[in-house]
Amino acid sequence: MTGAVTAGPATRSLTSARVDALAPGMLFGLLSEGAKYDAIDLAVGTPAAPDPSPAVVEAACAAIRQGRNQYGLPIGNPDLRRLIAGSLRTPADPDTDITMTVGATEGLAVAMLSIVDPGDEVILLDPCYENFVSAVALAGGVPRFVPLRAPEWRADPAELAAAFGPRTRAIVLNTPNNPTGHVLSREELAEIAELCERWNVAVISDEVYAKFVFDGNEHVSVADLPELRERCVVIGSLSKSHAVSGWRIGYLRAAPALSAALREVHVTVTGVASTPLQHAIAEAAAGDPAFWEPDQDLLAQRDITVEAFTALGARCVPPQGSCYVMADIRPVTTEDCETFAYRLAREAGVLVTPGKYFFAGERHSGDEFVRVAFNRTMSALTEVRDRLTAYAR
């Protein structure tokens, strides 16, 4: 008897199909290349500026020595939730609206798993932080990409409206944006709010760079808009603003009904964020009225980075916010961005991220861009400027 052979238990993969849909980690090879040439790393967003607060570091050591080393409340330290709620422009209830997470990465996964069912469409603005693509895949969602166009990195209103439909469950926003540095205006958010109300769509908004906004631009949280407040999840973090990325302290802000679902998923996937580190941040914040404002605003770092890559010949529009510059390398080279990035590491000793790593939609490859992280010390960025100036001669 002949016929089609179907995969049985002995031949099927031991891993789930969703793993194949995760965004590939393409940066690791480039990081290894940079290490060979002692290149200054401007590729990853790990902060070297601003400096972590000595008070919060000492408070962490004290909390561990005092024995605060066991499970805490799954929803987070009450004092820390109260302090975070009080730091927000639009009031939030710390008991019902704020949930502490293991960094923004867990917060993103929790939000997606709480809102998206398999087969639901999720709108992503392209280019985007690659973990957005992975979070959609993890929930079994289907990404629907809307292109952003340089140099302003705005979505075309007609293309944005066309992306919404009966299968749309959520839209993911990131303001200030990684990798583009664009800050969503009130007008842009109002346009998105109207579409979300029309189609009954949730908003998942990554706002971890909210403290880094330049040139008179204003960070507006989606939770600041009354029409979005009941349908949004805001993702926050202390990783970049307070340079404690290894502590993995993030939070979610949502209205009570959404928060209840978020907390159920949070308990399932991680249980609780670090007890002593939450306590340390609460202690330091309670003793410092200026705690929630970074001790450096990164404006000087942004400007010297734009200067350095402009001197190289790249076309750089100063970002409105975040800690990244998207540099257009077409005035410098016809190479694809990955070839250029490897060459820059090898020949100039400066490591950047190929822009194509952030483009997942089909309309644009991103090959003419590199992303440059500038949350570094001024001495490191001065050395970058000197290396690129010498290399361009």
Side-chain angles (χ1 to χ4, degrees):
M1 181 178 178
T2 60
V5 178
T6 57
T11 58
R12 70 186 179 199
S13 172
L14 294 177
T15 60
S16 69
R18 69 173 59 89
V19 174
D20 294 331
L22 300 179
M26 296 182 285
L27 190 56
F28 300 113
L30 183 59
L31 292 174
S32 298
E33 186 76 4
K36 293 179 187 176
Y37 302 101
D38 195 27
I40 299 174
D41 180 8
L42 303 184
V44 298
T46 305
D51 294 322
S53 160
V56 80
V57 173
E58 290 304 316
C61 295
I64 293 169
R65 293 191 188 102
Q66 292 164 6
R68 299 180 184 274
N69 300 309
Q70 309 307 324
Y71 298 131
L73 287 174
I75 63 174
N77 180 289
D79 292 332
L80 181 54
R81 286 186 284 115
R82 176 178 54 80
L83 288 160
I84 289 172
S87 74
L88 302 173
R89 175 163 51 188
T90 300
D93 187 326
D95 294 324
T96 60
D97 298 359
I98 305 295
T99 304
M100 302 307 302
T101 61
V102 182
T105 302
E106 189 227 337
L108 172 63
V110 165
M112 202 68 69
L113 290 167
S114 300
I115 292 170
V116 176
D117 284 322
D120 287 341
E121 289 188 355
V122 179
I123 296 172
L124 300 177
L125 306 181
D126 194 47
C128 66
Y129 175 46
E130 64 270 28
N131 268 11
F132 294 165
V133 178
S134 292
V136 173
L138 195 65
V142 178
R144 182 79 180 263
F145 296 102
V146 175
L148 303 174
R149 289 180 171 82
E152 292 186 339
W153 298 110
R154 289 172 174 261
D156 177 86
E159 291 180 335
L160 180 63
F164 282 78
R167 294 178 57 195
T168 310
R169 180 60 68 91
I171 181 171
V172 179
L173 304 179
N174 182 199
T175 183
N177 186 270
N178 171 18
T180 69
H182 179 62
V183 176
L184 289 170
S185 67
R186 286 186 179 272
E187 292 72 24
E188 288 173 287
L189 288 172
E191 177 185 335
I192 291 166
E194 191 278 326
L195 291 167
C196 289
E197 285 188 297
R198 185 192 309 172
W199 293 101
N200 192 26
V201 167
V203 179
I204 299 171
S205 185
D206 180 345
E207 301 181 9
V208 302
Y209 301 104
K211 296 299 182 181
F212 301 120
V213 180
F214 314 116
D215 303 331
N217 288 287
E218 177 191 25
H219 168 70
V220 181
S221 173
V222 295
D224 294 337
L225 276 69
E227 59 267 43
L228 287 180
R229 201 165 298 149
E230 298 299 315
R231 64 174 66 251
C232 74
V233 178
V234 176
I235 302 169
S237 170
L238 280 78
S239 292
K240 302 299 194 300
S241 60
H242 292 74
V244 288
S245 60
W247 288 21
R248 311 312 298 135
I249 300 295
Y251 64 89
L252 295 172
R253 184 232 175 115
L258 270 174
S259 273
L262 296 169
R263 290 172 171 183
E264 291 288 340
V265 177
H266 164 65
V267 169
T268 302
V269 299
T270 58
V272 61
S274 170
T275 300
L277 300 183
Q278 288 187 72
H279 177 81
I281 293 168
E283 285 278 306
D288 180 4
F291 178 83
W292 299 106
E293 298 301 321
D295 68 351
Q296 298 178 47
D297 64 9
L298 299 186
L299 178 60
Q301 284 91 334
R302 183 203 69 169
D303 289 347
I304 194 174
T305 302
V306 169
E307 177 190 344
F309 280 83
T310 300
L312 178 66
R315 187 181 297 113
C316 298
V317 175
Q320 297 173 326
S322 80
C323 58
Y324 305 103
V325 172
M326 278 288 264
D328 183 346
I329 60 174
R330 277 297 160 259
V332 181
T333 180
T334 58
E335 297 170 301
D336 69 86
C337 59
E338 195 167 39
T339 300
F340 174 80
Y342 273 86
R343 179 166 63 83
L344 198 68
R346 185 172 60 252
E347 299 178 3
V350 176
L351 193 66
V352 296
T353 305
K356 72 178 186 179
Y357 292 0
F358 303 97
F359 286 80
E362 297 180 352
R363 301 191 192 184
H364 202 299
S365 68
D367 251 344
E368 68 267 43
F369 297 104
V370 294
R371 190 199 71 172
V372 187
F374 57 82
N375 53 348
R376 303 297 194 265
T377 64
M378 284 298 292
S379 60
L381 294 173
T382 300
E383 175 64 18
V384 167
R385 182 186 61 188
D386 293 345
R387 290 186 184 189
L388 293 181
T389 300
Y391 181 64
R393 287 177 184 152

